Amino acid sequence: MRVVLLRIGLLLLIVFVACLPGMAAVAAPVPAKAPASVTSAAKPYTLSPQEQLAVNLLNQARQNEGLEPLKVNVQLSKLAADFAQDMRNRKFFAHVDPDGKDPFDRMAAVGIDFPNAGENIALSPDVETAHRMLLESPLHRENILNPKFTEIGIGVRPDARGGVYLVQEFIGP
């Protein structure tokens, strides 16, 4: 599973690097939903408008295929947002960070342990383009449309060049 995730990240990196200049985004309007939030002993986490848009696009794609929408898990979203920020700060783009931690290590570190888990990452001009490119990639589409996944964590952080890092963390029983 880990090898597949690494191959997926490299494939997406190649696709997005090749498509960054002049890529046009085409997306149908998706109705806005109230942002999900959580309060804990640490500071509360609320999805940004871009993260909520990413959730809406992902769930619309699932519903178009007759699947149930994924429930937002804000703890998983914070994990995804932190990983997107880490990629930006340390200037890398991979499922495994420079410290050797993969998505499952990061999930376990915050107490998230599910038999079914996955991750998609994208570096793209905007959320809509990232979503479209993930759906056009068979392995990423498989994560998005996997009926075993029931919850999603989404993190979106700006890239220094004006694009976005988008991280999708999936879990299910």
Side-chain angles (χ1 to χ4, degrees):
M1 178 103 171
R2 291 178 185 195
V3 173
V4 171
L5 289 174
L6 293 175
R7 208 172 351 155
I8 292 170
L10 181 57
L11 172 67
L12 191 59
L13 175 62
I14 292 166
V15 170
F16 280 125
V17 169
C19 297
L20 277 174
M23 177 63 76
V26 179
V30 178
K33 295 180 183 172
S37 64
V38 67
T39 304
S40 66
K43 67 181 186 180
Y45 187 78
T46 301
L47 295 183
S48 72
Q50 285 189 315
E51 290 165 340
Q52 189 62 55
L53 173 61
V55 169
N56 294 349
L57 291 168
L58 182 140
N59 277 332
Q60 185 63 55
R62 287 179 61 87
Q63 289 174 321
N64 289 347
E65 297 294 324
L67 297 167
E68 291 293 318
L70 298 178
K71 178 183 172 204
V72 172
N73 178 314
V74 289
Q75 182 183 17
L76 204 55
S77 289
K78 178 160 180 6
L79 178 77
D82 289 347
F83 185 57
Q85 188 65 46
D86 187 36
M87 286 192 289
R88 177 196 162 133
N89 291 349
R90 296 202 282 173
K91 297 176 177 51
F92 73 96
F93 180 76
H95 292 283
V96 178
D97 69 23
D99 302 323
K101 293 186 175 89
D102 66 26
F104 313 106
D105 296 328
R106 291 188 296 275
M107 288 180 198
V110 296
I112 298 172
D113 183 29
F114 280 81
N116 294 296
E119 176 180 79
N120 287 344
I121 63 174
L123 176 57
S124 180
D126 53 56
V127 169
E128 293 91 345
T129 303
H131 173 74
R132 191 178 82 245
M133 297 299 287
L134 288 168
L135 279 177
E136 290 174 357
S137 164
L139 295 173
H140 294 95
R141 181 180 181 87
E142 186 177 315
N143 272 344
I144 292 168
L145 301 179
N146 188 332
K148 292 181 180 178
F149 294 141
T150 56
E151 297 180 48
I152 184 72
I154 298 273
V156 177
R157 290 296 179 263
D159 172 49
R161 295 164 300 198
V164 295
Y165 286 93
L166 182 137
V167 177
Q168 298 173 330
E169 302 286 359
F170 302 90
I171 58 173

